[in-house]
Amino acid sequence: MQARKKYILVTFLASWLLLFLLGGDRLRRFAFFSRTKAGARRSWPRWADRSLLKSFGDPEEPQSHGDPPPPSPRARRAARLSAYKGSRCRMETCFDLGRCQRHGFKVFTYPRERGEPVSESYGKILASIERSRYYTPRPEEACLFVLGIDTLDRDRLSGHYVPDVDEKIRGFPLWNGGRNHLVFNLYSGTWPNYTEELGFDVGQAMLAKASFYAESFRPGFDVSIPLFPRDHPQRGGQRGWLRRGAVPPKKKYLLAFKGKRYLTGIGSGTRNALHHIHNGKDIVSLTTCKHGKDWEKHKDTRCDKDNVDYEKFDYQELLHNSTFCIVPRGRRLGSFRFLEALQAACIPVLLSDGWELPFSEVIDWSKAAVVGSERLLLQIPSAVRCIHPERVLAFQQQTQFLWDAYFSSVDKIVHTTLEIIKDRLLPHRSRSRFLWNAPPGGLLGGSLAKCPPDTPQPCFFTPPLQILVLWNCEKPPPPTEKWPQIAVPLTVIEGRRKLSDRFFPYAAIRTDAVLSLDEHSSLSTSEVDFAFVVWRSFPERIVGFPASSHFWDAEQQRWGYTSRWTNELSIVLTAAAFYHRYYHSLFTGYLPAGLRELAGGLAACEDILMNVLVAAVTKLPPIKVAQRKQHKEAVKGTAATSGRGFSQQQDCLNQVADWFGYMPLVSSQLRLDPVLFKDQVSVLRKKYRHLERP
């Protein structure tokens, strides 16, 4: 009986196995295996069902039959990687560090060929390099090379597109497969896919590129730069709309956007969805279809209403009155809106998946922007509402710092790019990430300053224990023991007689406080003590005695200079002044040789240049300390009183302002009298009595 049951069971299993092998395709059609019925029994919705979950793409917004289908993610990634055959390049493998050892970090720009078109933006980039302290006209001295061919716009449909770049660069004897070369680019790819194709092989060259995809970005080798408009200022640039230390008023709108809506093609998905978050109250999201030649052919049912609402708001007004500004991707990942939001102190809310943010190697964007996801657009309003007001204020202050330090002009964008590359050559001497993200910023600090090893950067806020006297006189300084006793010990060194080298970073300068004196100085010990007390409270400023000021001469349309005693001052002469040793390194290392030579050829120009430099770093005016009456400068003639007769000082002011692109000097009415602060001097003497010489 048992054997019979086993025989029946084996026969049944063998029959089912034979049935599955020979007729399995028919069994799949049975209701028992039907996917439809199985789907009907599930308790969760199908995400492709539009009736259960409305999609961002409305049924009324179909793609035009004339447009090519969008490429798949795999196809887009293959297209991006095909543009960079040296995708594994690093500084150690694709950059000849030996070229930088003999002459340091020098940059050579190729001469521009006759008849070769150069756009206005690329002309500004080349001019910024040639005006920098790193430029060299000799290729044998260069560490880095920049092409003279315009590579900014690689859109084949653009009027600035330069053809046959690959053939041209191969003919350059210095090209060497792109090694030690830097290629700038703002626009890559063309309609309809807008890939990162440049139309030529960059080889082993570094890319300074806008709208950089993170997948094709080579960390530690390439540099992501912002997309800037053609009219972006060459140098200087406008300041941010939020002044330093100011608390912005409560703004009318929490979140705002006003811009184009792409009906088809890449980038249309995100911008088509922006109308979902518009509430017309504290969130304003306005788009228009009215752009392009054939927009009416593609318009949908929303276009007419969107176009009407779009005209009701002014774009600049929205920037001024919004706390957060949406910065969605366009056809490419980056947009001009990013820099516009930074300048307006409107916190950018980035909706551009895969974008390598500008200068992300050194800038911490988590302190200045909200990085969102295109897929989670509907969560953006609730996310920004949860940000604490104190953090909102910190965001706004950081946007102003970053704008002013790195993005307000083409000069700053280019110089930041070069400084990042320079830091890679000597990583052990590179600037810390903290310094790049805190005033005065990476361009005006870091390895230039001589900081004690145990002092955090920036180091000009450390309390000094000694004073170094920089003796800028024709006669040699008297011995140290013959100097009058003051509250803090003195160290005296003799400065160089050549004015352009007056602020050289001498190795003997080991104290934070530097007291600069010349043969016309006549100070009492109490005046020096009091000036030192003031400087200890404001170590980032120049604190001194003789002062002058600048003004705008409307008649001559240029800056003027006067030593007249007025209510305001903007320049403290270094004939008798305290300042931090940090500015010696900055004066020699940051300013180009042309400006330093200018300081040596014009009267009082070295004082003007030092004051302009300090004001550019701190955005603060100097502080004047009052002297006794017999030490005040006598006003000689009406020319000095009225501001006339200072032609060399005026020439210096205007040339320095032209180099900076604006006038950094800040006027102030702050004057401090030692008679009113006698107690402060006595306290200082008691505090440092143990340091006095016997």
Side-chain angles (χ1 to χ4, degrees), residues 348-364:
V349 179
L350 306 177
L351 296 176
S352 186
D353 295 350
W355 183 21
E356 186 71 24
L357 296 181
F359 305 138
S360 56
E361 183 174 341
V362 295
I363 294 180
D364 184 2

Side-chain angles (χ1 to χ4, degrees), residues 337-353:
R337 194 180 311 274
F338 180 65
L339 292 186
E340 294 169 350
L342 283 181
Q343 182 185 6
C346 188
I347 304 170
V349 179
L350 306 177
L351 296 176
S352 186
D353 295 350

Side-chain angles (χ1 to χ4, degrees), residues 258 286 288 290 306-314:
K258 183 181 180 182
L286 306 170
T288 180
K290 198 174 181 179
D306 287 350
N307 293 340
V308 173
D309 294 339
Y310 185 85
E311 300 297 334
K312 294 180 180 179
F313 290 83
D314 180 72

Side-chain angles (χ1 to χ4, degrees), residues 226-261:
L227 182 65
F228 59 88
R230 183 177 58 183
D231 58 351
H232 204 55
Q234 171 77 62
R235 50 187 179 272
Q238 297 180 357
R239 294 187 178 182
W241 293 349
L242 180 62
R243 293 294 177 260
R244 179 176 180 179
V247 178
K250 184 175 178 59
K251 298 188 177 182
K252 182 177 181 180
Y253 305 109
L254 173 69
L255 186 65
F257 172 80
K258 183 181 180 182
K260 298 177 182 178
R261 176 163 71 92

